[in-house]
Amino acid sequence: MSASPNDTQDYVGFDTITQQMERKFLKRGFNFNVILVGESGMGKSTLINSIFASHLIDSQGRRAAQEVIRKTTEISPVTQTLEENGVRVKLTIVDTPGYSDQCNNEGCWIPVIKYIKDQHAAYLERELKPLRDRVIVDTRIHACLYFLNPGSRGLRPLDVEVLKRLTEVTNVIPIIAKSDSMTIEERTAFKRRIKEELAFHRISVFPYPSDEDTEEDRVLNASIRELIPFAVVGSEEVIEVNGKLVRGRRHGWGVINIFDETHSDFVHLRNFMLRTHLSDLVEVTAQRHYEQFRTSQLRQIKELRAQQAAAAATGGAPPLPSQAPPQAPMAGGVMHQPMTQA
C-alpha cells in the first residue's frame, strides 16, 4: 500500500528516512582506512595516490644507495581529509616499509597483523567504556591492498603464509603491481596462475559471497572475481598524447594510459573500491572481521572471570590474566597504542 505525498491525510512520511540519514551522513562524514602490504619498489604509494587523484603519501622506499636498509617492517599511517561533492571522508593510508625486503623474511608480517588487531582492540576498548562517545572514531582497517611481484611465477611461500593470516583479520584485495612490465599474454597467464593458487590454498579474498546478495550483486561480484588479481599501473605524471592530457607512464615504445582499460585494470580497481563496494568494505569489516575479534576477546574475558571466581571460592591463587581486563582489551599481548599521524 502506498500513498502520494500530495495526499496529506494518507501520506505518513517515513519514506523521508533516507533523506534524514543522508543529511546526518553528510554532516558527520565517514572514515576509510586502507593498509598497503608489499615489498619496496612495487609502486604502493603511487597507486594509492592515483586512486584518490591526490598526492596523499610519499614513497617510503630507499632513494639512495647509502640509505640504511630497514631490518624490520615499519608501520607508517598518514591521515588526510578529502571532500567530494559535499561528502567528507577521513582517509587513513597505512604503509608498511621494510616488509619482505630481507633475505630472511620470517615474521615480517607480524607488525602488520598486530597493527590491524590493535585497531580492533582500540575500537572494542571504546565500546566497553561506561561513558562511551556518541560516535566512536573508527580506525579499523577496511581494506588491505596486497601487492604481488610481477617478476614471480605465482604466489611465493611468503605470499601464501601472509595472505592466509591477513584474510582472517581484514578484507584483502590482491594486486599485480606494475603490470606494464609484462606482455598481455604473460599478464593473462599470471592472473590465471594466481587464481588457481588462491583456490588451491583456500584463500578467500574480498568480495565474499553473502546470502543477502541480490541477483544484481551476484553478477557484479562475479565480474569482479574474474578480474582478481587486478593488474594495475599507477602514475601521477600527466603526459600529452595526440593533443590530450592523460595520466600515464612513458615507455620507449609508447605511453601507458592508466585509465585505458585495455592497458590496465586500474579503472576497475578504483570503481570497485570507491564506487560500488566502499560501503561493503566498511560494513564487512564491522560485521565479519571485527565481530570475530570482539567475540573472541569477550569469550576470553568471560573465561578468565570464571577461573578467578573458581579460584576465589576454593581459596586458591587466581590465574594470571593472559588477556587484558574488560576496560582495556589487548591484541597480540600488547596494549594498543595510537599510531596515526596527520
Side-chain angles (χ1 to χ4, degrees):
M1 179 178 179
S2 61
S4 169
N6 296 325
D7 190 338
T8 57
Q9 294 183 348
D10 296 331
Y11 176 65
V12 178
F14 58 78
D15 60 344
T16 63
I17 181 94
T18 56
Q19 300 172 16
Q20 300 169 39
M21 294 172 64
E22 182 180 2
R23 285 195 296 269
K24 283 191 175 182
F25 187 80
L26 291 175
K27 180 180 178 181
R28 182 184 303 166
F30 69 101
N31 295 83
F32 187 51
N33 310 310
V34 182
I35 192 167
L36 313 176
V37 181
E39 60 194 88
S40 299
M42 290 293 99
K44 300 188 295 293
S45 56
T46 299
L47 178 64
I48 203 69
N49 291 340
S50 301
I51 289 175
F52 288 95
S54 303
H55 188 81
L56 303 174
I57 61 173
D58 295 319
S59 172
Q60 299 288 327
R62 296 169 65 229
R63 298 180 181 275
Q66 61 268 25
E67 291 186 24
V68 178
I69 299 176
R70 294 180 175 88
K71 295 185 178 181
T72 58
T73 303
E74 299 176 7
I75 303 296
S76 177
V78 175
T79 299
Q80 304 275 5
T81 300
L82 306 178
E83 186 170 338
E84 183 178 60
N85 296 328
V87 179
R88 188 172 66 255
V89 56
K90 186 176 182 183
L91 175 67
T92 298
I93 305 298
V94 184
D95 198 1
T96 55
Y99 170 84
S100 185
D101 287 347
Q102 301 296 315
C103 293
N104 181 3
N105 290 302
E106 183 178 357
C108 67
W109 60 83
I110 293 176
V112 178
I113 302 296
K114 177 184 178 301
Y115 178 83
I116 296 172
K117 288 186 174 182
D118 279 353
Q119 307 319 303
H120 290 327
Y123 195 91
L124 179 58
E125 180 180 349
R126 298 184 190 109
E127 271 194 333
L128 295 180
K129 285 183 178 179
L131 298 175
R132 62 183 181 184
D133 298 332
R134 186 171 62 89
V135 178
I136 300 177
V137 177
D138 189 3
T139 60
R140 296 170 297 184
I141 296 298
H142 301 123
C144 169
L145 300 186
Y146 190 86
F147 291 73
L148 300 169
N149 191 326
S152 62
R153 294 187 177 182
L155 294 179
R156 301 169 299 173
L158 175 65
D159 294 325
V160 173
E161 179 71 24
V162 176
L163 283 170
K164 284 183 176 180
R165 294 172 182 268
L166 282 173
T167 51
E168 293 177 353
V169 294
T170 190
N171 304 314
V172 175
I173 304 172
I175 288 171
I176 302 174
K178 295 187 174 180
S179 64
D180 54 335
S181 63
M182 298 185 289
T183 65
I184 295 177
E185 293 76 15
E186 290 172 339
R187 185 176 67 185
T188 301
F190 190 72
K191 274 193 168 195
R192 184 171 59 250
R193 178 67 180 273
I194 297 298
K195 288 177 188 290
E196 293 172 352
E197 293 187 348
L198 288 174
F200 176 80
H201 293 289
R202 298 182 180 180
I203 298 172
S204 179
V205 298
F206 189 85
Y208 313 111
S210 171
D211 295 336
E212 298 179 358
D213 287 344
T214 63
E215 183 60 28
E216 182 181 356
D217 293 332
R218 285 190 284 269
V219 171
L220 175 60
N221 288 342
S223 66
I224 290 169
R225 293 188 188 101
E226 283 297 315
L227 291 167
I228 290 176
F230 294 94
V232 299
V233 180
S235 176
E236 297 182 76
E237 182 182 0
V238 177
I239 302 172
E240 184 175 347
V241 179
N242 298 327
K244 294 182 179 180
L245 296 178
V246 300
R247 189 175 297 173
R249 290 166 58 90
R250 192 185 301 277
H251 292 270
W253 43 262
V255 172
I256 289 285
N257 179 359
I258 67 172
F259 294 105
D260 189 331
E261 296 178 15
T262 63
H263 293 177
S264 165
D265 292 335
F266 172 82
V267 172
H268 297 295
L269 172 64
R270 184 196 61 185
N271 292 347
F272 166 56
M273 283 185 60
L274 303 181
R275 301 188 182 186
T276 63
H277 284 72
L278 176 56
S279 176
D280 286 348
L281 285 166
V282 176
E283 187 175 295
V284 170
T285 297
Q287 296 182 357
R288 177 172 176 152
H289 300 296
Y290 171 69
E291 197 59 32
Q292 290 175 352
F293 176 86
R294 178 179 180 275
T295 300
S296 172
Q297 291 291 296
L298 294 182
R299 183 180 292 117
Q300 291 178 24
I301 292 172
K302 182 179 179 180
E303 292 173 355
L304 175 61
R305 286 178 173 175
Q307 293 173 8
Q308 291 174 336
T314 58
L320 294 176
S322 59
Q323 298 292 328
Q327 67 272 19
M330 300 173 72
V334 181
M335 183 71 72
H336 163 74
Q337 296 179 352
M339 290 187 282
T340 57
Q341 98 182 36

